[in-house]
Amino acid sequence: MAARRATIAATRPRRRDARRETTRADATRRRADAPRPRCPCCGLENAKTRHLSLCAPDALRGDAFAARERDILRASVVRRHGERSRAHEIMAWRFGWARGARGATTRASEVARRVGRVDAESVARTIRREVEATPMGLACETEDVEALEILHEDEEMTCVNKRAGTASTPESRVADSSAASLVVARWRRRLVDAHDGALASNVVLGASLVPYVAHRLDLETSGALVVCKNAKAAARAQGAFERREVEKTYLALCRCDEFDVSGGGASSGTIDLALAKRDDGARFFVETSSADGKPASTEWTIVARNRRHALVRCRPKTGRTHQIRVHLAAIGLPIVGDAAYGCLDADVVDRHALHAWTLRFPAKDFAGVPRIVAPVPDDFRRACERVGVDFDFDAVGGE
């Protein structure tokens, strides 16, 4: 018995070493098989953290970084540190406005070598800090800001009628025309007006003005979008959306020539189909999937129709990506103009015909916020007229 215990004790370290080697080999194999990260800005494969900080993907889009954007960054750095600062010198070599520079320098080590007495990590941190400190909305055109349709505004939020084709949130921090950036530009102009124009010469006034988007709409979806003025207000609004306390109403113009077969001819109902995101490398899409999908529910009602088209009022109970578009297509009511989910009618409308019509916040927590109605845009109205669907949007008002 003693000899057996001695044998077991002697072989135990070898077994532990064998298991450790196997674990290390498996980990190495997993790392080799894992997809290599790719820089969203310049496309460099296997991009490291330092490179991502240097490339600043939230501000740049590769070669599309234009002179105007560089001027905005430069004005911000000069305002914060002055023209003789280390930060200004680093940014000058990175973005190509330094004397003798032949263009932008995309490697942190090269910027550090040109500046001197600074390491690459400090270069990356400086670039990230200065990009993030650059105010948003500075590149927005005056006419776009003035054309912004305000549906409601108070001390905590601004609700706008987002135009189709305008992104909800910024894709590029510096040169951007998203709905959130337009709202920030409007806030900044009002701040200047409050000072009787005395601060108008400071191009980067209001660097602390940051939009907090409470929810998002797809690029081609028009309608009511809420942008909060501070983090506390955003937490309240986002919490209400996540708890499903905000009643949302959408309008969708759909094809219904196949609906009588797949939907049984009903004029209303509830769609309970789980949704899963997919990315096949060529495109991003969402599909119904009970296996790995997330629960999603949409109430729908046909409010007007003819033989081939129907105007559908939708009230999503959850807020999944592309939820209404996928759900309606699944029951045989694809949205007109929605190429991603099976109904491209370019002769009717040049985007998917979906409009975020109304928002109603819970009265107990948002007593001062009225029911918000976003007027239906002209292209949506014209699309309904072209297909012969008659509906009085103004008289109904979203109810």
XYZ file of all heavy atoms in Angstrom, residues 53-56 58-60 65-67 69-99 101-108 110-112 114-116 118-120 122-135 173-174:
581
model
N -6.043 53.610 -30.840
C -6.064 54.934 -30.222
C -5.498 55.984 -31.161
O -6.010 57.109 -31.241
C -5.254 54.913 -28.920
O -5.822 54.033 -27.990
N -4.440 55.635 -31.862
C -3.815 56.584 -32.777
C -4.721 56.889 -33.962
O -4.863 58.018 -34.390
C -2.490 56.007 -33.282
C -1.725 56.867 -34.299
C -1.238 58.129 -33.628
C -0.568 56.089 -34.891
N -5.360 55.863 -34.476
C -6.191 56.040 -35.657
C -7.506 56.741 -35.315
O -8.141 57.320 -36.190
C -6.484 54.674 -36.287
S -6.448 54.697 -38.095
N -7.914 56.686 -34.056
C -9.117 57.383 -33.594
C -10.315 57.073 -34.486
O -10.821 57.941 -35.180
C -8.867 58.887 -33.537
N -13.362 56.786 -34.028
C -14.593 57.544 -33.824
C -14.524 58.920 -34.455
O -15.500 59.651 -34.506
C -14.893 57.686 -32.334
C -13.808 58.461 -31.600
O -12.689 58.526 -32.132
O -14.081 58.994 -30.517
N -13.343 59.303 -34.959
C -13.206 60.621 -35.570
C -12.843 60.548 -37.035
O -13.169 61.448 -37.796
C -12.134 61.424 -34.841
N -12.171 59.497 -37.448
C -11.607 59.463 -38.797
C -12.254 58.380 -39.641
O -12.743 57.382 -39.141
C -10.100 59.190 -38.719
C -9.325 60.018 -37.706
C -7.877 59.608 -37.753
C -9.478 61.482 -38.004
N -10.694 61.958 -44.312
C -10.459 63.032 -43.342
C -9.984 64.271 -44.096
O -8.855 64.350 -44.553
C -9.412 62.585 -42.322
C -9.388 63.430 -41.085
C -10.444 63.384 -40.199
C -8.332 64.261 -40.800
C -10.428 64.145 -39.045
C -8.304 65.022 -39.658
C -9.361 64.965 -38.780
N -10.849 65.255 -44.236
C -10.605 66.394 -45.128
C -9.962 67.554 -44.379
O -9.808 67.552 -43.156
C -11.917 66.838 -45.760
N -9.584 68.582 -45.160
C -8.912 69.746 -44.582
C -9.792 70.448 -43.568
O -9.311 70.949 -42.551
C -8.511 70.710 -45.703
N -11.948 69.155 -41.554
C -11.937 68.414 -40.299
C -10.631 68.657 -39.537
O -10.622 68.772 -38.314
C -12.140 66.928 -40.590
C -13.484 66.638 -41.236
C -13.522 65.275 -41.876
O -12.639 65.011 -42.715
O -14.413 64.495 -41.542
N -9.515 68.718 -40.284
C -8.237 69.011 -39.632
C -8.268 70.406 -39.008
O -7.725 70.622 -37.921
C -7.100 68.908 -40.651
C -6.784 67.494 -41.084
C -5.415 67.413 -41.750
N -5.364 68.211 -42.960
C -5.674 67.760 -44.163
N -6.069 66.508 -44.308
N -5.586 68.535 -45.230
N -8.897 71.361 -39.687
C -8.981 72.719 -39.151
C -9.780 72.754 -37.858
O -9.453 73.504 -36.928
C -9.624 73.647 -40.182
C -8.725 73.896 -41.385
O -7.512 73.625 -41.263
O -9.242 74.339 -42.430
N -10.837 71.950 -37.790
C -11.643 71.891 -36.569
C -10.820 71.331 -35.413
O -10.826 71.868 -34.296
C -12.907 71.049 -36.812
C -13.861 71.790 -37.769
C -13.626 70.761 -35.495
C -15.032 70.961 -38.207
N -10.095 70.237 -35.673
C -9.239 69.663 -34.639
C -8.168 70.656 -34.199
O -7.900 70.821 -33.006
C -8.564 68.394 -35.168
C -9.296 67.066 -34.992
C -8.527 65.957 -35.669
C -9.521 66.752 -33.537
N -7.571 71.339 -35.168
C -6.503 72.284 -34.847
C -7.028 73.431 -33.991
O -6.386 73.827 -33.008
C -5.890 72.832 -36.136
C -4.692 73.723 -35.907
C -4.054 74.123 -37.222
N -2.832 74.891 -37.018
C -2.049 75.315 -37.992
N -2.358 75.037 -39.259
N -0.951 76.000 -37.732
N -8.200 73.963 -34.329
C -8.776 75.054 -33.547
C -9.055 74.617 -32.110
O -8.841 75.373 -31.158
C -10.064 75.545 -34.206
N -9.503 73.377 -31.953
C -9.783 72.865 -30.611
C -8.498 72.744 -29.791
O -8.452 73.125 -28.614
C -10.475 71.508 -30.717
O -10.692 70.949 -29.440
N -7.419 72.224 -30.404
C -6.150 72.062 -29.687
C -5.561 73.423 -29.327
O -5.047 73.618 -28.214
C -5.159 71.239 -30.537
C -3.804 71.147 -29.840
C -5.702 69.841 -30.784
N -5.613 74.364 -30.239
C -5.077 75.698 -29.963
C -5.833 76.347 -28.819
O -5.236 76.982 -27.933
C -5.142 76.575 -31.231
C -4.824 78.025 -30.905
C -4.171 76.049 -32.282
N -7.142 76.190 -28.811
C -7.946 76.777 -27.734
C -7.589 76.172 -26.385
O -7.496 76.861 -25.381
C -9.427 76.554 -28.019
C -10.361 76.929 -26.860
C -11.803 76.594 -27.207
N -12.676 76.818 -26.076
C -12.989 75.906 -25.172
N -12.457 74.691 -25.267
N -13.790 76.180 -24.169
N -7.350 74.857 -26.361
C -7.101 74.170 -25.097
C -5.668 74.325 -24.604
O -5.430 74.423 -23.394
C -7.427 72.673 -25.248
C -8.911 72.365 -25.278
C -9.200 70.987 -25.842
N -8.395 69.935 -25.224
C -8.673 69.336 -24.070
N -9.744 69.734 -23.386
N -7.916 68.376 -23.588
N -4.681 74.357 -25.530
C -3.284 74.291 -25.106
C -2.388 75.367 -25.701
O -1.284 75.579 -25.187
C -2.692 72.918 -25.471
C -3.492 71.764 -24.977
N -3.536 71.396 -23.645
C -4.304 70.890 -25.629
C -4.324 70.332 -23.503
N -4.803 70.015 -24.698
N -2.794 75.985 -26.800
C -1.923 76.949 -27.462
C -1.093 76.309 -28.566
O -0.947 75.083 -28.633
N -0.510 77.142 -29.433
C 0.211 76.639 -30.600
C 1.600 76.097 -30.269
O 2.197 75.409 -31.091
C 0.339 77.751 -31.645
C -0.993 78.152 -32.272
C -0.810 79.127 -33.400
O 0.346 79.565 -33.625
O -1.798 79.464 -34.066
N 2.145 76.417 -29.097
C 3.484 75.950 -28.736
C 3.451 74.778 -27.766
O 4.473 74.452 -27.149
C 4.286 77.096 -28.141
C 4.521 78.240 -29.126
C 5.486 79.247 -28.575
N 5.776 80.302 -29.545
C 6.655 81.287 -29.345
N 7.322 81.336 -28.185
N 6.858 82.193 -30.272
N 2.326 74.161 -27.615
C 2.190 73.060 -26.660
C 2.643 71.744 -27.277
O 2.719 71.586 -28.503
C 0.726 72.936 -26.218
O -0.081 72.604 -27.324
N 2.942 70.770 -26.408
C 3.312 69.450 -26.862
C 2.131 68.774 -27.570
O 2.315 68.084 -28.581
C 3.769 68.608 -25.663
C 4.129 67.156 -25.986
C 5.344 67.067 -26.912
N 6.499 67.693 -26.324
C 7.332 67.104 -25.460
N 7.116 65.868 -25.076
N 8.379 67.752 -24.993
N 0.929 68.995 -27.041
C -0.259 68.404 -27.661
C -0.444 68.909 -29.086
O -0.767 68.135 -30.004
C -1.502 68.707 -26.824
N -0.212 70.212 -29.295
C -0.358 70.774 -30.631
C 0.680 70.171 -31.584
O 0.378 69.863 -32.749
C -0.218 72.291 -30.586
C -0.421 72.962 -31.903
N 0.595 73.145 -32.815
C -1.538 73.475 -32.472
C 0.119 73.749 -33.888
N -1.179 73.967 -33.712
N 1.908 69.969 -31.099
C 2.948 69.406 -31.946
C 2.633 67.965 -32.328
O 2.820 67.552 -33.483
C 4.290 69.480 -31.229
C 5.479 69.118 -32.104
C 6.796 69.292 -31.377
O 6.768 69.596 -30.156
O 7.845 69.102 -32.022
N 2.144 67.184 -31.359
C 1.776 65.794 -31.642
C 0.652 65.732 -32.672
O 0.717 64.982 -33.660
C 1.364 65.080 -30.339
C 2.584 64.858 -29.443
C 0.674 63.744 -30.640
C 2.254 64.307 -28.082
N -0.386 66.539 -32.468
C -1.522 66.531 -33.391
C -1.114 67.033 -34.765
O -1.629 66.569 -35.792
C -2.657 67.374 -32.814
C -3.225 66.855 -31.497
S -4.129 65.314 -31.672
C -5.665 65.931 -32.352
N -0.162 67.984 -34.797
C 0.283 68.538 -36.080
C 0.950 67.475 -36.940
O 0.703 67.393 -38.149
C 1.232 69.708 -35.835
N 1.782 66.624 -36.334
C 2.424 65.560 -37.104
C 1.432 64.450 -37.442
O 1.476 63.893 -38.537
C 3.612 64.987 -36.326
C 4.820 65.864 -36.394
C 5.348 66.627 -35.399
C 5.638 66.100 -37.549
N 6.438 67.326 -35.844
C 6.647 67.017 -37.168
C 5.609 65.633 -38.858
C 7.607 67.467 -38.055
C 6.578 66.078 -39.741
C 7.567 66.988 -39.341
N 0.539 64.154 -36.510
C -0.435 63.079 -36.774
C -1.360 63.431 -37.955
O -1.641 62.594 -38.819
C -1.281 62.798 -35.515
C -2.488 61.903 -35.763
C -2.075 60.544 -36.285
N -3.232 59.716 -36.583
C -3.837 59.652 -37.766
N -3.403 60.386 -38.772
N -4.864 58.848 -37.945
N -1.822 64.680 -38.010
C -2.827 65.039 -39.007
C -2.281 65.895 -40.147
O -3.033 66.330 -41.005
C -4.010 65.738 -38.329
C -4.730 64.844 -37.360
C -4.608 65.018 -36.000
C -5.502 63.789 -37.821
C -5.251 64.176 -35.115
C -6.149 62.950 -36.944
C -6.026 63.135 -35.587
N -0.980 66.137 -40.149
C -0.353 66.675 -41.335
C -0.319 68.175 -41.486
O -0.073 68.662 -42.596
N -0.529 68.933 -40.406
C -0.421 70.389 -40.552
C 0.913 70.928 -40.012
O 1.145 72.130 -40.000
C -1.603 71.116 -39.919
C -1.655 71.109 -38.420
C -0.821 71.747 -37.561
C -2.625 70.446 -37.596
N -1.190 71.518 -36.255
C -2.305 70.733 -36.251
C -3.736 69.657 -37.859
C -3.051 70.245 -35.193
C -4.478 69.184 -36.799
C -4.134 69.468 -35.479
N 1.799 70.033 -39.573
C 3.112 70.467 -39.098
C 3.955 70.964 -40.279
O 3.827 70.479 -41.411
C 3.826 69.319 -38.390
N 4.838 71.931 -40.010
C 5.712 72.456 -41.058
C 6.667 71.354 -41.529
O 7.340 70.715 -40.726
C 6.506 73.648 -40.529
C 7.457 74.256 -41.559
C 8.137 75.480 -40.990
N 7.174 76.515 -40.656
C 7.506 77.701 -40.115
N 8.788 77.964 -39.861
N 6.584 78.591 -39.833
N 5.644 68.622 -42.956
C 4.929 67.354 -43.062
C 4.368 67.184 -44.472
O 3.840 68.126 -45.052
C 3.800 67.296 -42.032
N 4.499 66.001 -45.020
C 3.983 65.725 -46.357
C 2.621 65.048 -46.326
O 2.102 64.632 -47.346
C 4.968 64.841 -47.105
C 6.323 65.502 -47.347
C 7.232 64.580 -48.138
N 8.518 65.222 -48.389
C 9.511 64.648 -49.053
N 9.361 63.411 -49.537
N 10.649 65.288 -49.248
N 2.067 64.952 -45.169
C 0.764 64.305 -45.013
C 0.628 63.771 -43.604
O 1.501 63.970 -42.744
N -0.462 63.093 -43.345
C -0.711 62.552 -42.015
C 0.248 61.408 -41.710
O 0.646 60.648 -42.594
C -2.147 62.059 -41.917
N 0.636 61.295 -40.438
C 1.506 60.216 -39.973
C 0.653 59.229 -39.188
O 0.022 59.612 -38.198
C 2.629 60.764 -39.076
O 3.338 61.768 -39.803
C 3.576 59.666 -38.669
N 0.621 57.994 -39.602
C -0.320 57.034 -39.032
C 0.305 56.065 -38.038
O -0.362 55.134 -37.604
C -0.977 56.224 -40.168
O 0.031 55.570 -40.923
C -1.800 57.121 -41.068
N 1.569 56.243 -37.678
C 2.209 55.364 -36.692
C 2.626 56.177 -35.475
O 3.274 57.224 -35.588
C 3.429 54.672 -37.295
C 3.085 53.724 -38.438
C 4.312 52.993 -38.922
N 4.913 52.199 -37.830
C 6.073 51.561 -37.946
N 6.754 51.637 -39.082
N 6.542 50.880 -36.942
N 2.260 55.675 -34.288
C 2.571 56.383 -33.052
C 4.083 56.521 -32.859
O 4.566 57.562 -32.408
C 1.944 55.650 -31.862
N 6.380 56.767 -35.110
C 6.912 57.781 -36.022
C 6.593 59.191 -35.512
O 7.441 60.081 -35.569
C 6.323 57.579 -37.423
C 6.781 58.578 -38.464
C 8.273 58.501 -38.747
O 8.891 57.465 -38.410
O 8.826 59.466 -39.307
N 5.372 59.378 -35.001
C 5.026 60.678 -34.417
C 5.936 60.977 -33.234
O 6.445 62.091 -33.084
C 3.542 60.709 -33.982
C 3.220 61.999 -33.239
C 2.628 60.550 -35.191
N 6.161 59.974 -32.383
C 7.024 60.158 -31.215
C 8.446 60.515 -31.638
O 9.104 61.356 -31.009
C 7.013 58.887 -30.368
N 9.405 62.090 -34.383
C 9.451 63.440 -34.922
C 9.308 64.498 -33.831
O 9.930 65.554 -33.879
C 8.365 63.623 -35.982
C 8.620 62.809 -37.254
C 7.539 63.053 -38.283
N 7.802 62.335 -39.532
C 8.593 62.792 -40.495
N 9.224 63.951 -40.354
N 8.772 62.088 -41.592
N 8.476 64.209 -32.831
C 8.266 65.174 -31.752
C 9.462 65.182 -30.813
O 9.944 66.239 -30.392
C 6.959 64.849 -30.991
C 6.815 65.744 -29.763
C 5.762 65.013 -31.923
N 9.973 63.992 -30.446
C 11.091 63.887 -29.527
C 10.669 63.989 -28.075
O 9.707 64.686 -27.719
N 9.178 61.980 -26.137
C 7.844 61.457 -25.832
C 7.774 60.034 -26.394
O 8.367 59.733 -27.431
C 6.737 62.348 -26.448
C 6.826 62.364 -27.971
C 5.356 61.883 -26.004
N 7.091 59.157 -25.683
C 6.972 57.772 -26.130
C 5.668 57.567 -26.889
O 4.771 58.403 -26.869
C 7.035 56.814 -24.934
C 5.938 57.101 -23.926
O 4.838 56.536 -24.071
O 6.179 57.920 -23.015
N 5.583 56.423 -27.572
C 4.427 56.147 -28.423
C 3.131 56.046 -27.632
O 2.064 56.449 -28.119
C 4.665 54.853 -29.215
N 2.308 57.708 -24.939
C 1.864 59.078 -24.649
C 1.270 59.740 -25.884
O 0.298 60.499 -25.797
C 3.039 59.907 -24.125
O 3.540 59.366 -22.921
N 1.849 59.450 -27.037
C 1.311 59.984 -28.289
C -0.120 59.495 -28.505
O -1.027 60.273 -28.809
C 2.204 59.566 -29.476
C 1.502 59.814 -30.810
C 3.520 60.327 -29.432
N -0.324 58.179 -28.335
C -1.661 57.616 -28.539
C -2.665 58.206 -27.572
O -3.794 58.551 -27.950
C -1.602 56.091 -28.391
N -2.279 58.346 -26.290
C -3.189 58.912 -25.291
C -3.530 60.361 -25.620
O -4.683 60.795 -25.476
C -2.573 58.818 -23.896
C -2.590 57.426 -23.294
C -2.333 57.489 -21.791
N -1.047 58.107 -21.501
C 0.091 57.442 -21.382
N 0.095 56.119 -21.555
N 1.216 58.057 -21.098
N -2.538 61.128 -26.057
C -2.779 62.539 -26.380
C -3.753 62.678 -27.543
O -4.680 63.497 -27.494
C -1.451 63.234 -26.729
O -0.586 63.169 -25.600
C -1.685 64.687 -27.115
N -3.549 61.871 -28.579
C -4.431 61.960 -29.742
C -5.849 61.583 -29.363
O -6.814 62.275 -29.726
C -3.902 61.053 -30.870
C -2.573 61.600 -31.397
C -4.915 60.936 -32.002
C -1.879 60.681 -32.360
N -6.004 60.511 -28.617
C -7.342 60.108 -28.183
C -7.992 61.201 -27.335
O -9.168 61.548 -27.529
C -7.247 58.798 -27.403
C -8.531 58.389 -26.705
C -9.657 58.126 -27.664
N -9.398 56.961 -28.489
C -10.224 56.520 -29.434
N -11.329 57.173 -29.676
N -9.924 55.466 -30.144
N -7.243 61.767 -26.404
C -7.803 62.797 -25.517
C -8.237 64.031 -26.307
O -9.326 64.591 -26.082
C -6.768 63.171 -24.459
C -7.277 64.219 -23.447
C -6.247 64.482 -22.372
N -5.027 65.059 -22.918
C -3.850 64.440 -22.927
N -3.750 63.208 -22.423
N -2.778 65.022 -23.432
N -7.401 64.472 -27.237
C -7.728 65.681 -27.988
C -8.899 65.458 -28.947
O -9.715 66.358 -29.150
C -6.499 66.172 -28.762
C -5.344 66.595 -27.875
C -5.756 67.623 -26.844
O -6.530 68.544 -27.193
O -5.320 67.511 -25.687
N -8.976 64.278 -29.530
C -10.110 63.989 -30.411
C -11.403 63.976 -29.614
O -12.422 64.540 -30.029
C -9.893 62.643 -31.135
C -11.184 62.171 -31.802
C -8.799 62.771 -32.175
N -11.383 63.336 -28.443
C -12.588 63.263 -27.633
C -12.988 64.617 -27.072
O -14.162 64.850 -26.774
C -12.392 62.261 -26.497
C -12.303 60.817 -26.974
C -12.094 59.844 -25.836
O -11.759 60.310 -24.717
O -12.251 58.633 -26.061
N -12.044 65.545 -26.924
C -12.348 66.875 -26.399
C -12.860 67.824 -27.474
O -13.318 68.922 -27.158
C -11.100 67.470 -25.740
N -12.780 67.416 -28.727
C -13.263 68.269 -29.807
C -14.786 68.294 -29.791
O -15.423 67.244 -29.786
C -12.770 67.755 -31.170
O -11.345 67.705 -31.156
C -13.229 68.656 -32.297
N -15.391 69.461 -29.776
C -16.856 69.544 -29.705
C -17.519 68.888 -30.908
O -16.964 68.850 -32.004
C -17.128 71.049 -29.692
C -15.845 71.661 -29.242
C -14.756 70.783 -29.742
N -16.885 61.824 -35.126
C -17.050 62.844 -34.099
C -16.833 64.247 -34.639
O -17.523 65.191 -34.262
C -16.069 62.590 -32.948
C -16.248 63.579 -31.805
C -15.283 63.325 -30.666
N -15.513 64.276 -29.606
C -16.374 64.103 -28.619
N -17.094 63.011 -28.579
N -16.538 65.022 -27.686
N -15.888 64.434 -35.532
C -15.524 65.778 -35.973
C -16.436 66.262 -37.095
O -17.124 67.266 -36.974
C -14.049 65.816 -36.414
C -13.661 67.221 -36.866
C -13.155 65.395 -35.253
